[in-house]
């Protein structure tokens, strides 16, 4: 079967209102009998350049034997031009090197340099002979030092008959392995400019080499926040024509750029083009990555079932290619199943992942899988199982010295249990919170320690245990060390609620007013007024009508009070007046409150703002 580089069959809707309608059926096809089922060994080409493209695509798919076969067919084709032969010999040398066949590697290098000499590119030939496999093997520290010296030498020669472009590419790959994308970008920009100069001067480049280098440049530009330039270059590469592997990479780049620009429909369209091409070519890591992007897009637009489907495709592609990131993709699928409400299936997926990761001893991935597995069974109200999974996750984090993550997991697990309002699990929640606090102290994480103290105080006070009040004091003191005292003020507000819950009315009112002063000191007037309203609420609940009348009158007359809060204060005042038997004045104040039109919600989020809160 003759392959095609056309993208017409991958076209889809560009509508921005929703994801293109073709996404779901194409994803389902990829899980059954889609493009990935094509027998690539049956593909043929009519020209040497076609065979070179097939060889490159096979190499990207890590099908090295097929790459060698295609390259051999290319060299045997009639009328093979020098550019194509240079590309075929380079590919043969690279593949043989990966296969550790040194004799075949040297033979391919010799044939290539022999051809370069016949083309008059003698210096390039000499340097390629000297450097050998250093030019296409991934450079380590020693190789990068050698290549840096060669680059300086070649720049000093200032000749177009040079090996500099390939040396710069090798150095850029090394820089990327060291996470230095900015330095890699400079090197590849220099390499592309040199390749273009050489082509313009009539020098013979390996067929497809410029497109490959420009593809590298596109990724580096995006990584260095040159998004518009990456967009333009990727479109240029697509328009110029390239093999399907490069085309898939450029559609993927278009998808990533659209995602970056929050153009979700476009991102899904381009992502599906990349996914189908990668799957057809059996480039499994690329296909898994493209499917992951489509899953992310679907989740962003709250198409949770579609996101689940895309994650299943990503896992399917990764498992077919034994991709290293497979476990992470399975974990993402399990997490998305939870978001979609498919808790039973999520449990099945995550249980299998936990079993595999335990056997592999991959504690970090195991810990995250156990967290989600705990969430899955917690939603099924199997709290004992959930607690066991969360404790196992904490142990897994501790085995790889991730104490901060263990502390956060312990805190989150306790909060989940407390949310159930099932008193039978409160002892487990309390133990997990105390553990989180101790681990937070050990790892010097004051944010988690403060939150742990707050949650433990809240849990104990909910059970009428006075120890909770002391824990609030600890949390307030710890939060008070911060220059911004907002957290300390909010904890003081919560302590006021705890006092009220425990029947300590006077302390509750005084603490609420203290919190109001603290918020106002931080220029949080709305929150301050909210705490004053809380104090008034507590007074009303205890039928302290006179004190409530005075306080609500003061609040309602405050300068700069938000309309919604003033309305709440007037409703509170009306309730207090009714409590004293002053019904006429109560009705007048309530009418004044009802005349206040609230256009937008206040920044505060407290329950005393409900219009009917102060009804008898």
């Amino acid at each position: 079967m003759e392959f095609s580089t056309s993208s017409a069959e991958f076209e889809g809707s560009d509508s921005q209102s929703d994801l293109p309608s073709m996404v779901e059926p194409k994803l389902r096809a990829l899980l059954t009998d889609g493009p990935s089922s094509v027998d690539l060994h049956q593909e043929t080409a009519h020209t040497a350049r076609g065979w070179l493209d097939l060889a490159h695509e096979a190499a990207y798919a890590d099908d090295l034997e097929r790459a060698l076969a295609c390259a051999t067919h290319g060299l045997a084709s009639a009328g093979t031009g020098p550019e194509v032969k240079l590309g075929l010999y380079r590919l043969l040398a690279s593949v043989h090197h990966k296969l550790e066949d040194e004799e075949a590697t040297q033979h391919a290098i010799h044939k290539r340099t022999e051809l370069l000499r016949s083309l008059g590119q003698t210096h390039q030939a000499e340097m390629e002979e000297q450097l050998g496999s250093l030019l296409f093997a991934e450079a380590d520290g020693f190789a990068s030092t050698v290549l840096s010296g060669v680059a300086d030498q070649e720049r000093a020669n200032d000749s177009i008959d040079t090996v500099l472009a390939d040396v710069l590419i090798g150095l850029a790959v090394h820089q990327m392995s060291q996470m230095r994308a900015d330095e890699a970008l400079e090197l590849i920009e220099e390499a592309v400019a040199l390749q273009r100069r050489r082509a313009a001067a009539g020098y013979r480049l390996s067929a497809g080499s410029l497109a490959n280098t420009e593809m590298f440049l596109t990724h580096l530009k995006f990584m260095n926040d040159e998004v518009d330039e990456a967009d333009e270059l990727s479109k240029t590469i697509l328009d110029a024509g390239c093999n399907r592997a490069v085309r898939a990479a450029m559609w993927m780049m278009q998808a990533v750029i659209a995602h970056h620009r929050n153009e979700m429909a476009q991102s899904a369209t381009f992502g599906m083009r990349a996914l189908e091409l990668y799957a057809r070519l059996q480039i499994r890591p690329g296909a898994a990555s493209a499917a992951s992007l489509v899953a992310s897009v679907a989740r962003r637009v709250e198409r949770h079932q579609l996101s689940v489907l895309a994650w299943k495709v990503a896992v399917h592609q990764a498992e077919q290619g034994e991709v290293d990131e497979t476990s992470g993709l399975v974990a993402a699928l399990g997490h998305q199943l939870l978001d979609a409400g498919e808790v039973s299936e999520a449990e099945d997926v995550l249980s299998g992942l936990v079993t595999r990761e335990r056997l592999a001893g991959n504690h970090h991935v195991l810990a995250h899988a156990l967290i989600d597995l705990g969430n899955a069974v917690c939603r099924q109200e199997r709290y004992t199982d959930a607690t066991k999974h969360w404790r196992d996750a904490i142990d897994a984090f501790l085995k790889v010295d991730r104490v901060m993550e263990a502390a956060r997991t312990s805190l989150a697990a306790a909060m989940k249990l407390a949310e159930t309002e099932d008193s039978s699990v409160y002892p487990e929640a309390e133990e997990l919170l105390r553990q989180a606090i101790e681990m937070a102290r050990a790892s010097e994480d004051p944010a988690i320690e403060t939150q742990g103290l707050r949650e433990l105080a809240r849990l104990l006070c909910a059970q009428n245990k006075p120890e909770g009040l002391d824990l609030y004091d600890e949390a307030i003191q710890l939060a008070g060390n911060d220059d911004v005292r907002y957290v300390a003020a909010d904890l003081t507000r919560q302590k006021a609620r705890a006092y009220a819950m425990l029947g300590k009315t006077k302390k509750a009112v005084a603490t609420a007013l203290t919190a109001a002063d603290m918020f106002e000191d931080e220029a949080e007037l709305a929150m301050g007024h909210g705490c004053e309203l809380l104090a008034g609420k507590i007074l009303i609940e205890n039928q302290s009508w006179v004190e409530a009348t005075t306080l609500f009158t003061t609040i309602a007359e405050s300068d700069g009070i938000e309309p919604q809060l003033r309305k709440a204060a007037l409703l509170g005042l009306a309730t207090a007046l009714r409590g004293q038997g002053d019904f006429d004045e109560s009705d007048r104040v309530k009418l004044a409150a009802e005349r206040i039109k609230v256009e937008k919600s206040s920044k505060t989020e407290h329950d005393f703002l409900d219009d009917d809160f102060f009804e008898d």
Side-chain angles (χ1 to χ4, degrees), residues 327-348:
S327 293
L329 296 173
V330 175
L333 170 59
H335 191 84
Q336 185 58 50
L337 283 164
L338 282 177
D339 282 351
E342 304 289 346
V343 292
S344 180
E345 187 178 356
E347 182 183 355
D348 290 343

Side-chain angles (χ1 to χ4, degrees), residues 448-606:
I448 293 300
E449 184 182 351
T450 302
Q451 192 173 356
L453 288 166
R454 181 192 70 186
E455 296 300 330
L456 182 56
R458 179 185 295 169
L459 180 64
L460 293 175
C461 288
Q463 299 174 77
N464 294 316
K465 295 181 179 179
E467 183 195 349
L469 297 172
D470 296 333
L471 292 169
Y472 271 123
D473 288 337
E474 280 189 58
I476 291 166
Q477 182 178 0
L478 185 60
N481 295 330
D482 198 329
D483 291 338
V484 178
R485 300 188 66 216
Y486 183 97
V487 174
D490 196 47
L491 286 164
T492 304
R493 175 185 67 81
Q494 292 177 41
K495 186 184 179 187
R497 286 182 179 274
Y499 271 131
M501 190 185 305
L502 295 170
K504 301 177 182 293
T505 304
K506 290 183 179 180
K507 287 187 175 181
V509 171
T511 304
L513 294 176
T514 298
D517 291 340
M518 294 170 73
F519 276 121
E520 288 171 10
D521 287 345
E522 294 295 313
E524 293 285 350
L525 295 182
M527 290 296 291
H529 291 142
C531 289
E532 291 171 343
L533 287 169
L534 173 61
K537 168 193 170 182
I538 295 167
L539 289 169
I540 282 180
E541 287 175 341
N542 288 273
Q543 299 185 3
S544 300
W545 306 120
V546 176
E547 294 92 333
T549 299
T550 302
L551 180 56
F552 281 123
T553 300
T554 302
I555 299 169
E557 294 175 352
S558 297
D559 292 335
I561 188 171
E562 293 183 4
Q564 185 179 2
L565 298 175
R566 186 168 186 271
K567 182 176 183 177
L570 289 173
L571 289 171
L573 177 57
T575 303
L577 290 167
R578 269 202 315 279
Q580 296 179 71
D582 193 344
F583 297 105
D584 290 342
E585 183 64 10
S586 175
D587 290 343
R588 186 193 68 77
V589 172
K590 186 174 182 180
L591 184 62
E594 291 171 348
R595 288 173 179 161
I596 296 175
K597 302 298 181 185
V598 179
E599 296 181 359
K600 62 179 182 177
S601 297
S602 168
K603 293 177 182 177
T604 55
E605 300 174 352
H606 308 311

Side-chain angles (χ1 to χ4, degrees), residues 25-37:
K26 285 182 178 291
L27 287 172
R28 293 196 183 282
L30 285 164
L31 283 176
T32 53
D33 57 352
S36 61
S37 65

Side-chain angles (χ1 to χ4, degrees), residues 162 337 373 581 593:
T162 179
L337 283 164
L373 181 56

Side-chain angles (χ1 to χ4, degrees), residues 20-126:
S21 59
M22 58 82 181
V23 173
E24 183 172 349
K26 285 182 178 291
L27 287 172
R28 293 196 183 282
L30 285 164
L31 283 176
T32 53
D33 57 352
S36 61
S37 65
V38 171
D39 184 357
L40 295 175
H41 290 276
Q42 299 300 314
E43 288 192 331
T44 61
H46 297 315
T47 63
R49 178 57 193 268
W51 283 115
L52 176 61
D53 286 344
L54 287 175
H56 275 298
E57 292 163 5
Y60 277 115
D62 207 29
D63 189 343
L64 302 185
E65 294 299 333
R66 182 159 57 88
L68 290 178
C70 291
T72 302
H73 279 298
L75 288 171
S77 298
T80 304
E83 292 88 349
V84 174
K85 280 187 175 180
L86 288 172
L88 289 166
Y89 286 132
R90 168 55 65 86
L91 184 138
L92 285 170
S94 177
V95 171
H96 283 305
H97 178 71
K98 285 185 178 180
L99 293 170
E100 299 182 354
D101 186 341
E102 192 59 29
E103 183 179 348
T105 300
Q106 291 304 319
H107 176 72
I109 291 172
H110 173 73
K111 297 295 289 185
R112 177 179 160 87
T113 55
E114 187 176 69
L115 177 56
L116 285 171
R117 287 191 177 90
S118 72
L119 296 171
Q121 296 169 211
T122 54
H123 179 71
Q124 181 183 356
E126 290 171 3

